[in-house]
Amino acid sequence: MIPHNMKAFLDEHLPAGVLQNRLICEDGRCYLELAKRDEQLLAALGITTDRLGPFMAVCMWDQHSPLQIGGYLVVDNLSMGRPAMGGIRMLPHITPLDIHNLARGMTLKNGAANLPYGGGKSGIVAPQGEVSKDEHTEIVRGFARLIRRYKDIYVPGPDVGTDDADMKTIAMENGLDCAVSKTADMGGNRIDQLGAAAGGVVIALTTLLKIMPRLKVLPQFSDLAMPENDSPTVLFQGFGAVGANAARIMQERLPNARTTGLSDFEGYLHCPKGLPVEELFGRWQKSKLVTRAFYQESLVQTEARQAIKFSNDRDDLLRESAFCLVPAAAVFNYLGVDESDEAAMTVDRMGNWRVIVEGANTYSPDPNKKAQRTRLEQVVYRAKGVMIANDYLVNSGGVIFAAQEYYLPTPEHLQIPPERLGDPEAVENWLKQNAAEFAELSQKRKESGEKWREKVISANMTQLVDYLAKDPNLLPCDAAERISLERLSAREQGRVAKDIMISIALVPSDAPLQLAAEKIVEQNNNMAAVVDSNQNMAGIVTAWDVTRAVAQNPVCGDMPIDKVMKTEVVSASPQDSLPDILRKLEENRISAMPVVDGGKVIGVVNSDLLAYSYVQRNSD
């Protein structure tokens, strides 16, 4: 059934009749697909279109399931390539706007990471209250069946409320290359275990220690004093998968650095001489929360208590001073200009820092939040002289590692046989039979991810500092966005038909007209390709052809398709450039054409897709 919160949201925000007129249903799975041209309907859901997207937004649910299974998908932008990548968030009150904001963050993050994949995100509207582990798994499995329809343009990973085990569930349903950040027995890259995002934070800090002196040309950094012997003091706001691993990796990569403060849900610890990271990391692995228990168990009866401070107000960590602050907690606005920003700390009470390396996700495309961010940087960066390394330039290690599972695809002989998909026991047996090869594949993906992360994040920091040093009026948020958009634009320049095409329905040449009509409605792209017995293109049928046939003969549903189809078809090849496609559409006065490779129909391009690409290419 549709989740209760989702139904209430759609009933409140969508105009009457939209679901009745636009809903696509197949075997109980229901989809409302909105493209960029559906500006008014997207706005009703809270999503504002702009030059970047979204490419598609989908509301979907399973009306036959006794469980509440449903949610949202936003494929924001495909300029970097296909498919889009981004995690599945699972919360009771998730909305399309939440998913769009997260998807836009992935567009910029994937661009900054120079990954050949677009930005997307999805969200499961979780039932209110507790659900059992089995119910959780069944909900994820049901959502996997829903998003299978979009596997060509979206590949999920984990996010808040989901984990690697959930990605394994999705891969068991849809195939190994239909999810990333899977478990190691599937060749997955163990993102949290390896500290993929955390490693990016440390790479960023290590690079900044070398290049930050370039900022001395700016007045706010004229007094910049760098720590000697690569010995920065660092505060970690949040000691979880990112913060804890970053503190651990920093000890290995920068042995002279000191973690002088860290916080978690129960409070914060601070010690100017440095905290025992190895011990705290071990505690985190076992119990996740470390601050209160560490203080009570280890320090109360010792002299060390005099050196280490504990407070149950975790936000007060941001009052402490250090060379570097690493926001790594699930807090969007860790700093605010005033109380109205509802931030963890206001800038008038913040400690003295020289650099902030954002391990947490802080970006939002929302105009109000972007304005809030600008005000913040005007004070923190421009007035106080604190360098800010923006989130999506820094914490992309997770998606870089995850993307290797698609970039280095699973070899054909290791793919789960189709007859085993959807059968967990059969899939487990398959994985055990091929355990050695999956372990080897996992190691190759780990090594590839480490090289990619090092190269990209170091380059991001160098480019960010260079931009800021050259332009005194530029803020870090603007410079970071410029870096991502430049990469999106560069990738856009070389795009061809296969990069922008969407799927097209294929109908046998001996099928009745009614089947073509059904396929056109399902695909919602106004065209179906007619194929012969060898699956080669024989012609096309458009929505107009069906309408004209019905107007001439209302009971023509059983009419053979070859009586209606067009056999003289203008088509594009997979390597046709965007100007080539535009020229063909204009010269033939058509709005869409199939993409044909060696006689096989592999997709369709239309004027909407082309306009979308050109808007992005010429947006700056």
Side-chain angles (χ1 to χ4, degrees):
M1 72 181 79
I2 184 172
H4 301 325
N5 288 345
M6 184 178 185
K7 185 177 187 306
F9 179 88
L10 295 179
D11 286 346
E12 179 181 353
H13 290 85
L14 286 178
V18 168
L19 292 181
Q20 180 179 351
N21 295 329
R22 294 284 299 268
L23 201 63
I24 302 168
C25 294
E26 45 188 42
D27 299 326
R29 295 184 291 274
C30 301
Y31 303 90
L32 173 63
E33 297 178 347
L34 302 177
K36 192 170 185 287
R37 62 180 177 270
D38 297 308
E39 280 190 57
Q40 291 184 335
L41 291 178
L42 289 169
L45 296 177
I47 298 173
T48 301
T49 60
D50 59 20
R51 67 185 189 277
L52 290 178
F55 175 79
M56 177 182 285
V58 186
C59 308
M60 50 190 161
W61 62 91
D62 186 341
Q63 65 181 5
H64 286 175
S65 173
L67 294 173
Q68 297 180 48
I69 299 177
Y72 309 104
L73 165 66
V74 175
V75 175
D76 180 54
N77 184 286
L78 295 169
S79 291
M80 293 298 292
R82 292 178 179 233
M85 283 190 183
I88 299 177
R89 184 162 291 198
M90 185 173 179
L91 293 171
H93 297 289
I94 204 81
T95 68
L97 176 59
D98 296 329
I99 301 304
H100 175 241
N101 287 348
L102 293 166
R104 175 56 52 81
M106 292 307 303
T107 293
L108 296 177
K109 182 177 289 189
N110 292 349
N114 207 26
L115 291 167
Y117 308 114
K121 209 80 170 183
S122 61
I124 299 173
V125 181
Q128 291 279 30
E130 294 290 327
V131 297
S132 69
K133 183 178 180 180
D134 288 344
E135 288 175 327
H136 173 95
T137 300
E138 284 304 312
I139 290 171
V140 171
R141 182 173 288 116
F143 195 73
R145 297 185 187 116
L146 288 170
I147 62 173
R148 183 187 299 152
R149 176 181 174 89
Y150 306 102
K151 65 181 182 179
D152 291 339
I153 59 171
Y154 174 66
V155 172
D159 195 10
V160 176
T162 61
D163 57 20
D164 293 358
D166 294 321
M167 297 308 105
K168 181 175 183 177
T169 297
I170 292 172
M172 284 179 163
E173 287 293 318
N174 296 347
L176 287 173
D177 291 335
C178 291
V180 293
S181 188
K182 302 181 290 292
T183 51
D185 61 345
M186 283 184 160
N189 229 341
R190 300 161 290 164
I191 289 173
D192 287 344
Q193 181 184 344
L194 296 171
V201 171
V202 179
I203 291 168
L205 176 58
T206 304
T207 305
L208 289 169
L209 289 173
K210 298 175 183 177
I211 64 174
M212 270 185 65
R214 299 179 193 177
L215 294 175
K216 287 185 177 183
V217 298
L218 302 174
Q220 68 266 38
F221 291 100
S222 60
D223 63 343
L224 178 64
M226 300 299 293
E228 296 181 359
N229 301 318
D230 287 341
S231 58
T233 53
V234 184
L235 305 174
F236 289 95
Q237 181 201 26
F239 202 68
V242 175
N245 277 296
R248 170 185 63 83
I249 296 169
M250 186 177 72
Q251 293 295 108
E252 300 168 359
R253 184 153 180 159
L254 295 169
N256 294 328
R258 282 176 290 150
T259 296
T260 55
L262 61 88
S263 65
D264 61 18
F265 184 76
E266 293 183 336
Y268 85 89
L269 297 168
H270 184 263
C271 179
K273 295 181 179 180
L275 293 165
V277 169
E278 185 175 347
E279 179 182 352
L280 289 164
F281 182 78
R283 284 175 170 268
W284 172 76
Q285 286 183 305
K286 294 178 181 178
S287 59
K288 301 308 177 187
L289 296 176
V290 303
T291 55
R292 183 186 298 276
F294 175 79
Y295 186 74
Q296 291 175 341
E297 296 173 18
S298 304
L299 304 175
V300 170
Q301 302 301 325
T302 69
E303 294 181 2
R305 180 180 181 184
Q306 304 301 317
I308 298 181
K309 177 170 63 176
F310 168 77
S311 170
N312 58 12
D313 188 340
R314 62 184 183 273
D315 290 340
D316 274 355
L317 175 71
L318 275 70
R319 292 176 179 266
E320 305 289 356
S321 296
F323 179 78
C324 175
L325 169 70
V326 176
V331 179
F332 164 75
N333 47 346
Y334 59 96
L335 282 177
V337 174
D338 52 46
E339 296 294 341
S340 66
D341 289 336
E342 299 181 345
M345 184 61 58
T346 52
V347 294
D348 60 315
R349 297 181 293 160
M350 61 181 266
N352 293 319
W353 317 314
R354 293 319 306 251
V355 61
I356 298 172
V357 179
E358 294 183 338
N361 293 323
T362 63
Y363 175 81
S364 171
D366 177 80
N368 293 326
K369 290 185 177 179
K370 291 185 78 170
Q372 179 181 327
R373 177 65 184 223
T374 297
R375 293 196 303 272
L376 171 67
E377 292 195 0
Q378 286 170 339
V379 175
V380 175
Y381 168 76
R382 188 169 290 160
K384 291 180 174 286
V386 181
M387 171 62 189
I388 300 175
N390 303 77
D391 60 345
Y392 53 85
L393 298 184
V394 167
N395 64 16
S396 57
V399 71
I400 288 172
F401 270 48
Q404 304 311 308
E405 297 176 34
Y406 201 88
Y407 190 75
L408 300 178
T410 305
E412 189 62 35
H413 72 280
L414 289 181
Q415 295 287 353
I416 301 169
E419 64 273 13
R420 297 197 186 204
L421 290 175
D423 183 341
E425 183 177 352
V427 173
E428 290 288 3
N429 289 335
W430 176 261
L431 298 177
K432 290 176 183 177
Q433 292 167 17
N434 298 280
E437 287 192 81
F438 278 118
E440 182 181 352
L441 181 60
S442 179
Q443 181 63 23
K444 287 181 180 178
R445 288 166 168 170
K446 171 181 174 292
E447 293 170 359
S448 177
E450 288 172 341
K451 292 177 182 178
W452 197 302
R453 180 183 63 184
E454 183 80 31
K455 180 180 179 180
V456 163
I457 295 179
S458 295
N460 285 347
M461 294 302 97
T462 301
Q463 196 168 0
L464 178 65
V465 168
D466 285 348
Y467 277 170
L468 294 173
K470 291 176 182 176
D471 187 349
N473 297 315
L474 199 61
L475 293 173
C477 61
D478 299 321
E481 192 167 276
R482 179 185 294 180
I483 291 169
S484 285
L485 292 178
E486 282 177 353
R487 291 181 187 164
L488 291 171
S489 178
R491 189 65 63 95
E492 186 72 31
Q493 297 298 322
R495 300 189 84 199
V496 293
K498 68 176 183 178
D499 297 323
I500 68 166
M501 69 184 184
I502 58 176
S503 60
I504 185 173
L506 303 181
V507 185
S509 56
D510 58 355
L513 182 62
Q514 181 178 346
L515 179 62
E518 292 172 356
K519 293 292 186 181
I520 288 172
V521 170
E522 288 176 10
Q523 292 284 330
N524 192 30
N525 62 14
N526 293 325
M527 180 185 291
V530 183
V531 295
D532 61 22
S533 58
N534 294 318
Q535 296 299 299
N536 289 320
M537 188 177 73
I540 60 168
V541 174
T542 66
W544 170 246
D545 295 328
V546 174
T547 302
R548 182 174 56 185
V550 171
Q552 295 172 350
N553 181 4
V555 291
C556 66
D558 293 332
M559 179 186 296
I561 241 176
D562 58 9
K563 300 294 185 184
V564 178
M565 71 180 188
K566 294 183 176 71
T567 56
E568 294 184 7
V569 180
V570 178
S571 64
S573 75
Q575 298 302 322
D576 276 355
S577 67
L578 269 58
D580 289 339
I581 297 168
L582 180 62
R583 176 180 52 77
K584 287 183 180 181
L585 292 175
E586 291 179 342
E587 286 180 354
N588 293 279
R589 298 184 180 181
I590 54 178
S591 60
M593 59 183 170
V595 180
V596 181
D597 185 10
K600 308 293 184 184
V601 183
I602 61 173
V604 62
V605 290
N606 61 47
S607 54
D608 285 342
L609 293 171
L610 202 64
Y612 173 75
S613 293
Y614 269 100
V615 165
Q616 293 176 76
R617 175 181 290 188
N618 298 306
S619 60
D620 295 325

